Amino acid sequence: MDRLKDKIVLITGAAGAIGRAASDAVRAQGGIAIATDLAGQPGIAHALDVTSEDDWLRVVADAGRAHGHIDGLINAAGIAALGTVEDTDYATWRRVMAVNLDGTFLGCKHAMPLLKQRGGSIVNLSSVAGLVGGHNFAAYNASKGGVRLLSKSVALHGARLDPQVRCNSVHPAFLEGPMVDEIVKQTNFPDAARARITRDIPLGRFGTAEEVAELCVYLLSDESRFVTGAEFAIDGGLTAR
Ligand SMILES: NC(=O)c1ccc[n+]([C@@H]2O[C@H](COP(=O)([O-])OP(=O)(O)OC[C@H]3O[C@@H](n4cnc5c(N)ncnc54)[C@H](O)[C@@H]3O)[C@@H](O)[C@H]2O)c1
């Protein structure tokens, strides 16, 4: 119950499946979750569009005034888009890169002054699509692959700080929830798409946001104090073959 006792954790995309589950898990483990998402989304403390540097500066300043430091950051805001390199239009490419990669960069950059007050841990939501390619995932693959390597650079920088800041990436496969519902809706045969995805996952089912949240708790907690720059597939074995 106390694995994150008194740890202050800023979470983006906190109205979404993983962000909400992670906020709940942080609180359940005795931490303080600062929940952020786009303005108007339910259950959040701060409006934060991760693509807006001004928003980051405002929210980090508010958190600094309220707490003086933070112990953790979960970059969970993200969007998905289906499309091959040929049929992805440039506006979609730019938007996916802006939210998934620029947003994660801005978070790591602007939360760092608060994280390095006492040392801390960053968890970046990448995807299995950040580890392996898909023919119709051009923009999403590129953005999530970027998050994977950005996380390693941040980890190496954070290791040189005193106190140190750790950073790891998390790579879920398909989870039950709105993001996958939206992806399968974009295919011509959603039921067949769901069945095929399930067949492709060795453990034979979609994952859940709560399972990803449990991994986030581990990475935010002191149990993972020797873990940084690492990538964690949570994918039912999808990328094992
Ligand atoms: N759901 C999955 O199957 C899955 C699998 C692998 C990786 N992921 C990644 O995990 C993260 C969370 O996914 P999820 O399942 O919770 O998705 P979700 O769609 O349920 O939630 C995403 C949240 O991000 C928010 N968001 C979108 N654009 C934003 C912006 N510009 N600024 C701030 N917030 C913004 C949305 O409002 C939403 O609340 C994403 O980065 C996603 O790519 C999800």
Side-chain angles (χ1 to χ4, degrees), residues 185-202:
K185 218 166 64 192
Q186 288 174 40
T187 67
N188 289 332
F189 308 100
D191 290 342
R194 283 186 81 89
R196 217 198 68 208
I197 294 167
T198 308
R199 266 201 312 278
D200 283 349
I201 298 175

Side-chain angles (χ1 to χ4, degrees), residues 12-20 36-39 41 48-52 75-80 95 98-100 104 125-129 140 144 170-180 183 206-207 209 212:
T12 71
I18 293 175
R20 195 172 49 241
T36 75
D37 204 301
L38 293 172
Q41 292 284 3
L48 169 59
D49 178 340
V50 295
T51 68
S52 162
N75 284 307
I79 57 173
R95 183 71 195 147
V99 176
N100 294 357
T104 303
L125 263 301
S126 177
S127 166
V128 287
Y140 193 67
K144 293 302 187 179
V170 167
H171 302 259
F174 299 92
L175 308 175
E176 296 292 354
M179 180 169 277
V180 169
I183 291 172
F206 285 38
V212 178

